C-alpha cells in the first residue's frame, strides 16, 4: 500500500512538472509572438514616418517647375510649400483627442489612407487639386505624427520609452532622402511620378498596418483624462509635458527661420541651388547622427534639464549668423544648430509621455499638443522673421528665434531646479503597475 501511495505521489509530481513545463513553454511562445509582433509593427510605423517625411520634402526641388507650369508668383510658391504646415497646426490637437477615443490603430490606418489619397491628388495636372492635395497631406501628416507616436509608445509598453524618440531619426532620414528622390523621379518620369509612388507606398502601408493589433500596452491609458480643459489645467504642474512643448516650439522656430533665411543669404552670396542643397544635406546628416546617439543614451537624456540645455544651445547656435553676414557664418550657424535641434526633437516625446502617464493625461492629447506647438513655431516664426528681414535685415531677423528661445530655455532650467525630473525608475514603475513584468523590453531592438 505504501509503495502504491509513493508511486502515486511520484506520478503526481511528474505530472505537475510536465504541466508547469508545458505552461512555461506556452508563456515563452506567447512572449516570443508578442515580441515579434511588436518588432514588425515598429518597422511598419518607422517606414510610415520615413515615407511621410520624404513626401513632405520631395516637392522642394520640383517647386521651380511647378511654379512655371502653373504661373505661380513667389508668394504662391511659398503658400504651396507652407500649406501642409498650416494644416498640421490645425489638426494636431483634434487628432490627439481622436486617438484617445478611437485608438491609435484606427486613426493611423485612416490617416495613412488619407496620405495616399492626398499624394494622388498632388499628382493630378490641375492647380486646385494640387492645393487640395497639399492641405490634405498636411492633415494626414499631422495625424500620423500624433497617432503613430502613441501607437509605438503603447507597443513598447513603457511610459516615456526613449525608443519613441527614434521616430525622429526615421523622419530625418525621410527629410534627407525626399528632395533627392523627388528630383530624380521628377526629371526621369515627370512631375507626377514622385506623388504617385508615395500614394502607392502609403496604400501598401495602410494595408499592412490594418492587420496589426492596437497594442494598448498600459491598461490604465484608456481611463486617463483626454479633454483639452484637463490638459490646459494640468500642463503647468507637469514639467515633462511643459518642457517638451516649450523646447519643440523653440525647435520649430529655429527650423522655420533657418529654412527661410539661409537659402536667401546663400543665394545672395552666389551659391547655386545644388550647392545650397548640399549644405542642407550636410546639416541633415548631422541631424540623423545626433538623433540616433540621443536614442542610444536612453533615459539619461530624457530629462527636463537635458532638454532645456539642448534648447539653450539651439537658440545660441544662431549667434554667428547675427555677428557676421557672410556665407561662412550662416553655414556655421546652420550646422552648429543642427545637433541640439535633433536632441530637442528626440527627447521631447518620451519626456512628455512619461510625465503624462504619471499625471493621468491621455497620450494622444499630449502628443497632439506637442505637434501643435512645433507646427506653431514652424509656421509663425518665419512669418515674423520675414517681416523683420524686410525692415532690419537678416542678421536682426535671427533674433526672433534667439531671444525668445534663450529666455524660454533659461526659464525651464530655473524651473527644473525645484522640480524632480523624469527618471528611468519612474517610467519603469508606472509600466510595472499596469503590466506584469516580461522580458519584452530587452528583446525588442531599439530602431534607429
Amino acid at each position: 500500500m505504501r509503495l502504491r501511495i509513493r508511486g502515486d505521489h511520484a506520478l503526481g509530481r511528474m505530472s505537475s512538472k510536465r504541466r508547469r513545463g508545458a505552461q512555461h513553454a506556452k508563456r515563452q511562445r506567447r512572449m516570443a509572438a508578442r515580441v515579434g509582433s511588436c518588432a514588425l509593427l515598429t518597422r511598419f510605423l518607422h517606414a510610415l514616418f520615413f515615407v511621410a517625411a520624404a513626401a513632405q520634402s520631395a516637392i522642394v526641388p520640383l517647386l521651380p517647375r511647378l511654379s512655371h507650369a502653373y504661373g505661380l508668383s513667389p508668394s504662391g510658391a511659398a503658400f504651396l510649400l507652407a500649406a501642409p504646415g498650416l494644416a498640421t497646426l490645425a489638426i494636431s490637437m483634434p487628432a490627439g483627442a481622436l486617438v484617445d477615443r478611437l485608438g491609435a490603430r484606427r486613426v493611423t490606418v485612416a490617416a495613412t489612407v488619407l496620405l495616399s489619397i492626398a499624394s494622388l491628388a498632388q499628382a493630378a495636372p490641375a492647380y486646385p487639386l494640387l492645393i487640395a492635395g497639399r492641405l490634405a497631406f498636411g492633415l494626414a501628416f499631422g495625424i500620423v505624427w500624433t497617432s503613430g507616436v502613441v501607437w509605438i509608445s503603447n507597443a513598447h509598453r513603457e511610459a516615456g520609452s526613449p525608443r519613441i524618440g527614434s521616430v525622429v531619426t526615421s523622419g530625418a532620414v525621410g527629410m534627407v532622402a525626399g528632395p533627392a528622390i523627388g528630383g530624380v523621379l521628377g526629371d526621369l518620369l515627370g512631375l507626377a511620378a514622385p506623388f504617385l509612388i508615395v500614394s502607392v507606398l502609403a496604400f501598401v502601408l495602410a494595408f499592412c498596418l490594418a492587420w496589426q493589433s492596437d497594442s494598448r500596452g498600459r491598461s490604465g491609458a484608456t481611463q486617463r483624462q483626454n479633454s483639452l480643459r484637463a490638459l490646459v489645467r494640468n500642463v503647468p504642474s507637469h514639467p515633462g509635458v511643459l518642457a517638451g512643448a516649450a523646447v519643440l516650439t523653440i525647435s520649430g522656430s529655429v527650423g522655420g527661420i533657418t529654412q527661410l533665411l539661409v537659402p536667401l543669404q546663400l543665394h545672395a552670396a552666389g551659391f547655386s541651388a545644388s550647392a545650397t542643397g548640399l549644405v542642407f544635406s550636410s546639416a541633415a546628416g548631422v541631424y540623423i547622427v545626433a538623433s540616433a546617439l540621443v536614442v542610444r543614451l536612453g533615459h539619461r537624456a530624457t530629462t527636463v534639464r537635458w532638454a532645456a540645455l539642448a534648447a539653450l544651445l539651439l537658440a545660441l547656435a544662431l549667434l554667428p549668423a547675427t555677428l557676421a553676414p557672410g556665407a561662412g557664418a550662416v553655414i556655421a550657424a546652420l550646422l552648429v544648430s543642427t545637433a541640439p535641434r535633433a536632441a530637442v526633437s528626440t527627447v521631447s516625446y518620451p519626456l512628455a509621455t512619461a510625465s503624462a502617464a504619471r499625471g493621468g493625461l491621455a497620450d494622444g492629447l499630449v502628443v497632439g499638443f506637442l505637434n501643435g506647438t512645433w507646427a506653431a513655431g514652424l509656421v509663425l516664426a518665419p512669418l515674423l522673421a520675414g517681416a523683420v528681414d524686410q525692415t532690419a535685415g537678416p542678421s536682426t531677423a535671427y533674433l526672433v528665434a534667439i531671444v525668445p528661445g534663450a529666455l524660454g530655455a533659461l526659464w525651464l532650467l530655473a524651473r527644473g531646479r525645484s522640480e524632480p525630473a523624469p527618471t528611468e525608475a519612474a517610467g519603469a514603475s508606472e509600466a510595472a503597475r499596469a503590466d506584469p513584468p516580461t522580458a519584452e523590453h530587452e528583446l525588442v531592438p531599439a530602431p534607429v
Side-chain angles (χ1 to χ4, degrees):
M1 179 65 69
R2 290 181 178 177
L3 291 176
R4 185 190 304 173
I5 293 174
R6 290 177 181 175
D8 291 342
H9 286 171
L11 289 174
R13 286 193 297 270
M14 291 176 62
S15 178
S16 178
K17 288 181 179 179
R18 282 197 295 267
R19 284 196 301 272
R20 288 197 297 268
Q23 291 172 355
H24 177 72
K26 187 176 181 180
R27 285 195 299 269
Q28 290 293 101
R29 288 194 299 268
R30 190 183 300 117
M31 182 187 301
R34 188 165 59 245
V35 170
S37 176
C38 179
L40 183 61
L41 172 63
T42 299
R43 293 187 181 97
F44 283 145
L45 288 174
H46 279 272
L48 177 59
F49 293 129
F50 170 84
V51 169
Q56 184 191 36
S57 61
I59 197 174
V60 173
L62 305 178
L63 275 177
R65 293 175 59 184
L66 289 170
S67 299
H68 177 74
Y70 297 112
L72 302 180
S73 64
S75 59
F79 176 73
L80 190 64
L81 189 62
L86 294 172
T88 298
L89 176 59
I91 198 61
S92 293
M93 288 293 292
L98 197 63
V99 168
D100 294 326
R101 293 182 182 277
L102 301 181
R105 173 182 166 276
R106 292 181 182 178
V107 178
T108 303
V109 172
T112 308
V113 173
L114 179 60
L115 184 68
S116 176
I117 296 172
S119 300
L120 187 63
Q122 293 179 77
Y127 184 70
L129 285 176
L130 176 61
I131 287 294
R134 293 293 289 169
L135 291 171
F137 174 82
L139 295 176
F141 188 84
I143 296 172
V144 161
W145 273 91
T146 300
S147 61
V149 171
V150 174
W151 198 356
I152 205 168
S153 173
N154 290 343
H156 285 307
R157 295 174 177 265
E158 179 186 356
S161 171
R163 296 171 183 172
I164 303 173
S166 61
V167 301
V168 176
T169 310
S170 299
V173 175
M175 291 293 289
V176 174
I181 296 172
V184 171
L185 292 176
D187 288 338
L188 294 178
L189 303 175
L191 286 173
F195 304 112
L196 290 174
I197 292 176
V198 168
S199 178
V200 173
L201 291 175
F203 182 80
V204 171
L205 283 171
F207 179 81
C208 295
L209 289 170
W211 289 91
Q212 302 299 308
S213 64
D214 205 7
S215 298
R216 290 185 177 270
R218 296 182 295 278
S219 59
T222 55
Q223 282 76 45
R224 295 182 191 173
Q225 302 178 70
N226 63 352
S227 69
L228 180 59
R229 182 181 300 176
L231 178 66
V232 173
R233 185 176 62 250
N234 291 318
V235 159
S237 60
H238 292 83
V241 178
L242 185 64
V247 298
L248 275 182
T249 304
I250 298 171
S251 176
S253 300
V254 171
I257 289 176
T258 53
Q259 289 174 13
L260 173 68
L261 298 179
V262 171
L264 295 176
Q265 290 182 274
L266 294 182
H267 177 74
F271 278 59
S272 64
S274 59
T276 301
L278 181 62
V279 171
F280 274 87
S281 295
S282 301
V286 175
Y287 191 106
I288 293 170
V289 173
S291 176
L293 289 176
V294 172
V295 172
R296 291 297 184 188
L297 286 175
H299 286 281
R300 289 172 291 178
T302 312
T303 65
V304 172
R305 182 178 295 274
W306 213 98
L309 284 173
L312 179 61
L313 291 176
L314 173 59
L316 297 179
L318 296 181
L319 283 175
T322 67
L323 302 176
V330 172
I331 294 173
L334 177 65
L335 294 177
V336 172
S337 66
T338 299
R341 186 156 63 93
V344 162
S345 301
T346 305
V347 303
S348 297
Y349 291 108
L351 182 64
T353 53
S355 183
R358 289 190 295 274
L361 294 175
D363 283 345
L365 197 65
V366 169
V367 173
F369 176 59
L370 295 186
N371 290 338
T373 56
W374 170 80
L378 185 68
V379 172
L380 299 179
L383 295 177
L384 181 58
V388 174
D389 182 22
Q390 289 182 348
T391 58
S395 296
T396 307
Y398 283 105
L399 295 176
V400 172
I402 294 174
V403 175
L407 292 176
L410 289 172
W411 175 76
L412 283 175
L413 283 173
R415 180 186 173 94
R417 292 175 183 173
S418 59
E419 293 176 342
T423 61
E424 181 175 6
S429 63
E430 193 276 346
R433 285 193 299 269
D435 292 297
T438 68
E440 187 167 321
H441 303 308
E442 290 73 21
L443 293 175
V444 179
V448 297

